[in-house]
Amino acid sequence: MKKGILLCVLFAAAFSLYIPASANAAEYPAIGPLPERKAPDPKKAELGKALFFDARVSGDAALSCASCHNSEQGWTTRMPLSDAYPGSKHWRNASTLLNIVYKGKAYGSDGRLDDLDDMLRDMITDSMNMNMDMQIMQERFKQDEKIVALTHDAYKETGWGKGGMGTSQRGEMTHYVARNAIVQFLETLVSKNVPFDKGNLSDNAKKGMELFKGKAGCIQCHNGPYFSDVRPHNTGVPENPEVFKDPQRHFTYVAYMMFMGVDNRMNWRRDVGYYTISKDKKDVGKFITPTLRELKYTAPYMHNGMFATLDDVIEFYNMGGGEDRPGMKDAAMKPLNLSGDEKMALKEFLLSLSGDPITIPMPKGVKIEYKPIPNWKGVKN
């Protein structure tokens, strides 16, 4: 989720900022710097980086992970709605991958998977995303001498069995190895030099933080070091009409609902969100709270890219969110009555949650245009 997904979709998203009414900050997990994580294995991360930018992870080699998670665009894209596998178009905004390793569960805007490796597997194999067969993917990489060498160097101690990666030989490329390496690479996409984490806030940003924890009530859902409770909420975000006007986007959405067992799927004219998972009507229109970290780089916002700027998002919540049928929208969504100065202070605080840009050029030697090996039957893996 091109850009899964506040403000996913491993597909999904830009971000959606959820700001309910006034809150008591003490009732929620404290906001603060991201905790230290075990450093990823540099050799595995290097292999993962090469695979992340390599279009051979998609069925017809048209897309790489970087196609929808662009390092120059906040590891998402500037498109309100994401690209998808050729012949289809996605119905949600691609989420940023920055700090994704801190999320821990509920990946995707509708929170359909709780394991990052599982989400990565689905992104690669889903027909609307990469449309790739895992066995074919690993055989493609076994035909690349550079990838074979990187894999052996990084996984030469890893074989079959407990803690292994499905390899029959140590250091052998498998789809387990490929996914593990990409996750190791994602471990490197973590915020750096964030003003909030360093305690380097302006007076106005400090005022904004107090609004965040109090009058504006943001902390009710955007809490903890990740600035998300990772739970579904309905804030009344307006539908993106392109989902239903563009036949390619609409049939991709309908196909997803069919895959997920959603009833009455031909008649829905809205993104049902978390209802896809729970099948409980009260969850229609709910989406997982996205992180607020690095929002400076991840516009447009919301699960469907409906707001172009952070000012648009703040004004949306200042007005009490959007419209929905009675009883559907979160009861905490009420007008905030923030003054112009208060909105500016809140914006300054939110921007303080973004650090140095994290950009990574495409590694040298990555296959941009994949061509099948003419005599592939005669080439030894």
Side-chain angles (χ1 to χ4, degrees):
M1 245 202 95
K2 215 160 177 171
K3 140 177 121 162
I5 270 133
L6 170 32
L7 297 203
C8 221
V9 161
L10 255 200
F11 225 61
F15 82 76
S16 62
L17 176 61
Y18 176 49
I19 306 180
S22 186
N24 180 358
E27 298 178 359
Y28 304 96
I31 56 175
L34 289 168
E36 292 289 331
R37 291 178 62 88
K38 180 182 178 181
D41 183 301
K43 292 181 179 178
K44 294 178 180 175
E46 187 66 19
L47 172 62
K49 181 170 70 173
L51 301 180
F52 185 90
F53 287 89
D54 197 314
R56 287 174 293 184
V57 297
S58 63
D60 66 352
L63 299 170
S64 69
C65 303
S67 298
C68 298
H69 300 280
N70 188 327
S71 96
E72 301 287 339
Q73 299 178 11
W75 297 87
T76 172
T77 72
R78 297 286 181 259
M79 300 172 64
L81 299 174
S82 177
D83 280 339
Y85 193 74
S88 60
K89 293 180 181 177
H90 213 280
W91 70 97
R92 288 183 185 148
N93 180 271
S95 302
T96 181
L97 297 181
L98 292 168
N99 302 306
I100 190 70
V101 291
Y102 283 94
K103 192 171 185 180
K105 62 179 182 179
Y107 295 96
S109 294
D110 54 20
R112 65 186 173 119
L113 289 170
D114 284 335
D115 183 88
L116 186 53
D117 178 72
D118 287 344
M119 192 66 190
L120 182 56
R121 177 204 61 211
D122 273 21
M123 289 297 104
I124 294 173
T125 58
D126 279 349
S127 58
M128 62 187 174
N129 295 314
M130 298 296 195
N131 194 24
M132 186 53 167
D133 180 280
M134 285 289 188
Q135 297 292 334
I136 294 176
M137 181 184 74
Q138 72 181 34
E139 296 308 313
R140 284 180 177 176
F141 289 133
K142 284 180 176 180
Q143 294 171 345
D144 185 313
E145 293 181 356
K146 179 183 176 181
I147 296 296
V148 169
L150 285 172
T151 303
H152 182 268
D153 196 28
Y155 289 89
K156 58 189 174 186
E157 303 299 328
T158 304
W160 189 265
K162 185 178 181 180
M165 295 289 166
T167 58
S168 57
Q169 299 178 41
R170 293 187 181 278
E172 179 185 13
M173 167 57 75
T174 68
H175 55 84
Y176 299 99
V177 165
R179 298 201 306 273
N180 180 270
I182 293 175
V183 170
Q184 291 288 313
F185 172 61
L186 295 179
E187 289 276 2
T188 68
L189 305 183
V190 175
S191 294
K192 297 176 181 176
N193 295 320
V194 177
F196 168 76
D197 293 343
K198 298 169 73 74
N200 185 22
L201 296 182
S202 67
D203 289 342
N204 208 33
K206 291 176 181 176
K207 178 182 176 182
M209 181 169 67
E210 294 308 312
L211 291 165
F212 183 94
K213 296 191 292 186
K215 180 179 179 180
C218 317
I219 198 170
Q220 293 179 82
C221 296
H222 293 284
N223 51 53
Y226 187 61
F227 280 81
S228 168
D229 61 0
V230 199
R231 299 180 62 185
H233 300 279
N234 182 345
T235 63
V237 174
E239 298 295 323
N240 189 323
E242 289 301 313
V243 174
F244 306 98
K245 289 169 59 178
D246 186 328
Q248 283 188 301
R249 295 197 191 280
H250 192 206
F251 83 65
T252 306
Y253 174 46
V254 171
Y256 175 70
M257 286 194 289
M258 182 168 62
F259 174 73
M260 297 297 290
V262 175
D263 61 341
N264 202 28
R265 50 188 169 270
M266 296 305 296
N267 294 320
W268 285 108
R269 289 297 180 271
R270 63 179 302 177
D271 188 337
V272 297
Y274 189 63
Y275 174 68
T276 306
I277 313 304
S278 72
K279 308 297 189 297
D280 187 333
K281 291 287 175 59
K282 67 179 175 56
D283 292 328
V284 171
K286 291 183 178 180
F287 296 89
I288 302 298
T289 307
T291 181
L292 299 182
R293 289 185 171 273
E294 306 303 326
L295 56 78
K296 179 179 179 181
Y297 309 109
T298 60
Y301 304 115
M302 305 299 184
H303 64 276
N304 54 9
M306 282 298 287
F307 296 130
T309 69
L310 186 54
D311 293 308
D312 294 340
V313 177
I314 292 174
E315 188 58 32
F316 172 76
Y317 287 103
N318 193 41
M319 299 297 290
E323 300 295 328
D324 209 330
R325 290 179 294 174
M328 299 299 291
K329 200 170 75 170
D330 195 302
M333 295 297 296
K334 301 182 186 302
L336 302 176
N337 299 312
L338 298 176
S339 68
D341 287 345
E342 288 175 326
K343 286 186 281 188
M344 290 180 63
L346 181 59
K347 179 180 179 180
E348 191 163 333
F349 172 66
L350 293 174
L351 290 173
S352 79
L353 304 178
S354 300
D356 296 342
I358 300 175
T359 57
I360 298 177
M362 180 181 293
K364 294 181 179 178
V366 168
K367 301 286 185 181
I368 299 176
E369 295 183 4
Y370 171 67
K371 295 182 180 180
I373 299 172
N375 62 334
W376 62 274
K377 287 185 177 179
V379 177
K380 185 178 179 180
N381 287 331

